[in-house]
Amino acid sequence: MSGSVDAVHRRFERFVPLGAADRRFLSEVFARARIVEPRRTVLTEGRRCEALHLIAAGWALEYRLLPSGGRQILKIRLPGEVFGAECLAFGTALESVQTLTRCAISPIAREDYAGLQISHPRVAAGLFLAATADRAVLQEWALSLGRRPAAARVAHLLLEIEHRCALAGITGRATPFPLTQQDVADCTGLTLSYANRILGQMRRRGLITLRPQELAIQRRADLARIAGFGSRYLEPTPLGGFDGEPGPSVPAARSG
Amino acid sequence: MSGSVDAVHRRFERFVPLGAADRRFLSEVFARARIVEPRRTVLTEGRRCEALHLIAAGWALEYRLLPSGGRQILKIRLPGEVFGAECLAFGTALESVQTLTRCAISPIAREDYAGLQISHPRVAAGLFLAATADRAVLQEWALSLGRRPAAARVAHLLLEIEHRCALAGITGRATPFPLTQQDVADCTGLTLSYANRILGQMRRRGLITLRPQELAIQRRADLARIAGFGSRYLEPTPLGGFDGEPGPSVPAARSG
DNA sequence: CGACGATTTGACTACAGTCAATGCTTGTGG
DNA sequence: CCACAAGCATTGACTGTAGTCAAATCGTCG
C-alpha cells in the first residue's frame, strides 16, 4: 500500500490548480478512507451505487465479466485516482472493482456532487478532467484490443504501467508489478497461455525483467517500437481560467 | 442531417435538470454551428485543440489510426453529443473525428470552461455526466473488442446503434445507418471481409435487414442473445441536488 | 510434506486475417 | 442512352495468429 494525501493533491493538480480550501476538502475525503485487503471486490457491476471512490492508497482493477466466464480488465487504478464516477450518471456501478494490493479507499457521495460543483468548483473540474484523462487511457486500450497484435498489446501495457508509476511518483530501480499473468491476459484480451508465451519471449530477448511483484524494462526503445507507445495520452496540461486562481503549487512538476 | 436545438436540450436533460438560462446558453452555442460535408475530417489526433465541440446535427465518428494503417473507431456520435472534451485536460486532440453525414458543429472554447463552471454549473455538470456516459459506452466496446467473438461484436454494435437512435428520438420503421461495412469492421476490430461475411450470415438467418443507409433489426431477442446486449449502459438517470432546481422538463422521458 | 496458486510448455485446433478476383450501384460524361 | 469509373459489397482459397486443452513445474505458505 503506497500513497498519501500528497499523492491525491498531486494527482488533482495535474488537471487544475487547487486552493487551500480545495486541498483541505480533499484531505478530509482522504481521512475518511477505509482499508481493504488485496484481491477483495469493492464494487460489483449492476449493483446500486451512491458514491464515487477515491483511492487514497494501493492498486485496484476495474473490470467487466461475461456470462461465458471471460473477464476484461478496463483500467488499472493507482493512488490518487477515482473510480466509480459513472454512479453520478447512472446511480449504478457499470463495472466491478477489485483491489490488487491492500488499499485505502474513500467514498464521495453522489448527492454531494451538486454542492461540490458550487462550493469547490476546482475540485469538481478536477473530477471531470480526471475522468477525461481516464477516457484517454481507455481509448488507447480499445485501440490495442481492436487493432494491435498480441505482442504490441502486452508491450504497451507494460510501458503504460511503468510510465504511470513514474508520473505518480512511484519510483525505484524497478516498477512494482502486482499483476499476475492472468491479469495481464485479461488486460490485453489474450488467454493466459498466450500472454505467458509472449512475456517469455520478451524476457528471453532481454527486453524486460519480470519477477513476482516487480517489473524492470531493459530496452525501452525496442519495447516502445513494438508497442507503438507514445506517452502523450498520459500527460495532461493543467487547465487555467479559474477566478481567484491560487499560486502555482506544483510548478510544472515533472517526474522522469 | 437530423437534429435541432431540442435534441441538444434533450440530451443534456438526460443527465441534469436545466434552467431557462442553461437552455438559453445551449441555444446560443447551437446557433454558432457551422456546416460540414459528409466524410470530412473535423479533428486530427495530435493537433492542438482549444475547443470541445457539440454536434448540433448529423452523425460523426471518433477514431484512432495506427502507423501500420489500421483504424479503430472509438465512438459513433449522434446529434446532441459532445466530442473532443479531452482538449480540456490535454489541449490536444487525442483522436480524430470525421463526419459521417452532413453535420452542424458548434465549438465551446476551452478557456470558457472555468467560467461555465461558475455561471452555468448545471451545464458544466451535464458535460461531465455526458463524458461519464461516453466512458460507459467506450467500456462496453473495450469489452467487445477484448472478449467477445466476432459475431457478438457486430450484433452488439447494431443493437447499440439502434437503441441509441431510439433514445435520441430518431425513429421510423428502420434505423438510419450511414456506416459502410469498412466502418463496421473498424468499429469491431475485424477486417472488411470478415465483417462482410458475418453481416451476410445475419441477413441470411433473417436476423437483420441491412440496406445502404438503413438498418432494420428483425429478431431482436436472438440478436441480443448472440451479442450479450443489455441497454443499462445507455440509460442514465438524471442527477438531482442542484440548488434552485427547476421543474422537471423531461419527466422521466422514455422513448421505446 | 501437502496444497494451492502461479507459471511454463507442448500438441493440436480454429477463428479470423490476407490476398485476390468478381459483382453491384451510382454517378458522370460522351 | 450507353460507357466507364469509383466506391462499396461479396466470395473463394489459403494462411497464421491466437485459442484450447492438458500436463508438468515451481514457489510459498500452512
Side-chain angles (χ1 to χ4, degrees), chain B residues 89-107:
Chain B
F90 295 89
T92 303
L94 294 178
E95 76 277 326
S96 300
V97 177
Q98 176 186 62
T99 57
L100 207 42
T101 67
R102 173 184 273 249
C103 284
I105 298 177
S106 300

Side-chain angles (χ1 to χ4, degrees), chain A residues 147 179-182 192-193 196-197 203-204:
Chain A
R147 290 299 186 204
L179 310 199
T180 65
Q181 294 195 3
Q182 182 65 63
L192 170 59
S193 305
N196 172 276
R197 268 182 261 262
R203 199 154 19 194
R204 261 172 266 123

Side-chain angles (χ1 to χ4, degrees), chain A residues 64 71 89 140 147 186 237, chain B residues 64 89 140 147 186 237:
Chain A
R64 292 277 315 266
R71 178 175 73 147
E140 193 73 30
R147 290 299 186 204
D186 289 344
T237 307
Chain B
R64 292 277 316 265
E140 193 73 30
R147 291 297 187 205
D186 289 344
T237 307

